[in-house]
């Protein structure tokens, strides 16, 4: 069982400067010990999807099934998200899926592993991976799924419930926009300004699964994603 900790060394020192592709980052992340979550989880679950994705989704952390398979969004919440992507009109072939925290945090109850929300220390420790992923992606829309991802990208003051479904400027709305302002343009290390994009926050698909009125919660998720789909179509 993962213990609480007040501080963690962070992921930065596990990111090799020469890792200039998502595959290289993924390989490096498999050895990350930037916080204590690596100890009890099965493996690092790095982002997956289209490297030239128009839409990048950022969730909270891998769940039990993701931890076993090593792939993000393959459990019940992931299936629901894929259905919502289809129903909103977004192209499922052009998305990239990742999480703010890349190891499964859980509590053992008997033989069951019960999800535990990551603490701020885990979000902060893992943020360098998210920044490194964004440095290699060029999304037109970033979709933030739930409060943990919102904290990681937008800071603790952001309230998903208040600003969900609203298009915001990216990276200008990030907590530290400078982290996301430049992207490499070639293998020689040339960098350029990140093309302006938009960000949209919505609820995490697992919140739909936990809702008393799942149909209504699902409709809300699809309505938010439809805002993104329309923005891309426009
Ligand atoms: S949760 Fe993130 S920072 Fe912590 S060990 Fe895993 S990859 Fe590293």
């Amino acid at each position: 069982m993962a213990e609480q900790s007040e501080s963690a060394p962070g992921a930065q020192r596990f990111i090799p400067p020469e890792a200039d592709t998502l595959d290289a980052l993924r390989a490096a992340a498999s050895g990350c010990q930037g916080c204590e979550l690596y100890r009890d989880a099965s493996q690092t679950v790095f982002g997956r999807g289209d490297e030239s994705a128009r839409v990048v989704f950022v969730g909270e952390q891998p769940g039990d099934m993701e931890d076993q398979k090593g792939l993000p969004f393959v459990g019940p919440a992931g299936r629901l998200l894929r259905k919502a992507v289809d129903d909103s009109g977004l192209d499922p072939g052009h998305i990239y899926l990742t999480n703010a925290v890349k190891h499964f945090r859980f509590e053992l109850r008997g033989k069951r592993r019960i999800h535990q929300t990551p603490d701020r220390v885990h979000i902060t420790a893992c943020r360098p991976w998210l920044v490194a992923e964004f440095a290699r992606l060029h999304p037109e829309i970033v979709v933030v799924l739930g409060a943990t991802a919102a904290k990681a990208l937008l800071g603790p003051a952001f309230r998903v419930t208040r600003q969900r479904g609203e298009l915001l400027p990216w990276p200008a709305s990030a907590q530290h926009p400078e982290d996301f302002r430049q992207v490499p343009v070639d293998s020689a290390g040339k960098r350029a300004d990140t093309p302006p994009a938009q960000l949209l926050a919505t609820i995490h698909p697992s919140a739909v699964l936990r809702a008393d009125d799942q149909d209504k919660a699902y409709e809300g998720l699809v309505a938010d994603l439809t805002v993104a789909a329309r923005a891309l179509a426009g």
Side-chain angles (χ1 to χ4, degrees):
M1 184 169 64
E3 298 154 22
Q4 296 266 344
S5 72
E6 295 294 314
S7 66
Q12 193 63 54
R13 69 194 167 100
F14 295 92
I15 304 180
E18 69 279 9
D20 55 4
T21 64
L22 288 166
D23 283 345
L25 282 176
R26 189 174 293 115
S30 66
C32 185
Q33 300 183 359
C35 72
E36 86 281 4
L37 296 186
Y38 79 92
R39 283 194 225 135
D40 297 322
S42 309
Q43 57 192 316
T44 310
V45 181
F46 205 73
R48 292 266 167 183
D50 178 11
E51 299 205 3
S52 55
R54 298 182 77 190
V55 186
V56 170
F57 287 87
V58 183
E60 182 193 83
Q61 66 164 355
D64 186 61
M65 201 172 290
E66 285 87 2
D67 172 77
Q68 292 173 43
K69 298 202 167 172
L71 295 168
F73 291 96
V74 289
R79 278 197 295 279
L80 188 135
L81 177 64
R82 283 169 208 278
K83 182 170 167 4
V85 164
D86 279 343
D87 288 346
S88 68
L90 285 169
D91 181 349
H94 292 291
I95 62 174
Y96 181 89
L97 300 161
T98 193
N99 283 302
V101 172
K102 288 172 171 52
H103 274 106
F104 178 36
R105 186 180 193 218
F106 60 92
E107 191 185 5
L108 264 186
R109 282 194 211 144
K111 287 192 176 161
R112 292 185 62 209
R113 304 194 302 171
I114 308 295
H115 164 278
Q116 270 198 307
T117 303
D119 285 338
R120 184 193 284 250
V121 66
H122 308 119
I123 298 168
T124 305
C126 215
R127 196 173 187 270
W129 290 120
L130 201 53
V131 171
E133 281 176 294
F134 269 98
R136 287 144 189 93
L137 293 162
H138 307 89
E140 290 167 57
I141 300 209
V142 179
V143 178
V144 172
L145 299 167
T148 301
K151 273 183 204 150
L153 278 181
L154 305 167
F158 189 88
R159 293 284 172 272
V160 174
T161 43
R162 219 178 291 149
Q163 284 189 275
R164 61 180 290 185
E166 205 178 300
L167 288 167
L168 302 167
W170 176 260
S173 49
Q175 186 183 22
H176 297 293
E178 65 281 7
D179 288 348
F180 302 98
R181 222 157 233 157
Q182 293 251 301
V183 283
V185 287
D186 63 21
S187 55
K190 193 172 164 206
R191 295 173 73 76
D193 287 345
T194 302
Q198 291 178 299
L199 176 139
L200 179 137
T202 186
I203 54 170
H204 194 281
S206 62
V208 175
L209 296 173
R210 287 195 307 268
D212 292 335
D213 187 341
Q214 290 193 7
D215 289 345
K216 191 168 171 228
Y218 179 74
E219 276 168 27
L221 173 63
V222 172
D224 291 343
L225 296 184
T226 303
V227 174
R230 291 210 182 109
L232 289 178

